[in-house]
Amino acid sequence: MHAEMLVLQFSRKVVDQPIIYRLVKDFNLEFNLLKAAINPQQEGVIVMELRGHPQDFRRGLKFLRDAGVQVKRVAGEVRRNDELCYQCGACTAVCPTGALYIERPAMSVAFAAERCSACELCCPVCPARAMEVKLNRNAI
Ligand code: SF4
Ligand code: SF4
């Protein structure tokens, strides 16, 4: 069994197609969805762990690429630079695992590194660039 955490980015052209259904049905793959933000007629992003026999996994990735889905492997480590973070909270809206969350009653933004999947969705939304990637994920 092979398993990897992936970020799939869908263009407008393919966002309405049953891509994930095909991965399960045609390639015998299993998935654990962490985040799906897809709007009809617009671009979308899915963060998920994909599992299956290595050969099925490779065939499934080829199917995704051929369908026009951009697939990136989560291979890095994401850390917060606490000196840069000014607690604005923007990152908590996109974090799929709850690693970034509002701590009450102080209303401070906490980072639980052990829950982080290194999907990097928080990096571009942080105005302070406080979320840093140690190793870059690779396009596959
Ligand atoms: S990389 Fe950022 S958005 Fe992704 S799980 Fe880790 S803290 Fe959350
Ligand atoms: S978006 Fe950046 S600055 Fe704002 S709370 Fe998150 S890590 Fe801190």
Side-chain angles (χ1 to χ4, degrees):
M1 181 74 77
H2 181 77
E4 282 188 39
M5 193 73 73
L6 302 173
V7 179
L8 310 185
Q9 288 178 298
F10 297 78
S11 68
R12 264 182 215 194
K13 282 184 189 168
V14 294
V15 79
D16 292 330
Q17 295 178 24
I19 299 279
I20 303 302
Y21 170 76
R22 294 276 312 274
L23 280 178
V24 174
K25 182 173 173 294
D26 298 349
F27 302 98
N28 204 27
L29 295 172
E30 298 171 13
F31 67 93
N32 178 24
L33 201 62
L34 290 176
K35 170 118 179 167
I38 297 180
N39 298 310
Q41 307 301 319
Q42 294 178 23
E43 296 183 349
V45 62
I46 286 179
V47 182
M48 66 178 183
E49 186 188 40
L50 193 62
R51 294 184 294 274
H53 186 281
Q55 196 173 352
D56 292 332
F57 195 92
R58 281 193 296 275
R59 290 173 55 236
L61 288 186
K62 181 176 185 314
F63 159 72
L64 289 172
R65 284 195 299 266
D66 291 347
V69 178
Q70 189 184 0
V71 185
K72 292 186 177 177
R73 178 185 285 128
V74 174
E77 182 185 345
V78 173
R79 296 172 178 172
R80 183 170 72 178
N81 184 332
D82 289 334
E83 288 183 8
L84 294 177
C85 173
Y86 58 87
Q87 304 281 305
C88 71
C91 53
T92 62
V94 300
C95 180
T97 64
L100 288 158
Y101 61 98
I102 305 283
E103 217 164 27
R104 296 171 194 273
M107 301 303 284
S108 57
V109 178
F111 176 49
E114 70 280 3
R115 288 190 219 151
C116 176
S117 68
C119 68
E120 300 179 31
L121 292 179
C122 55
C123 299
V125 304
C126 174
R129 296 292 177 261
M131 300 307 295
E132 300 172 345
V133 183
K134 190 177 171 200
L135 297 169
N136 287 328
R137 67 188 186 210
N138 302 312
I140 53 179

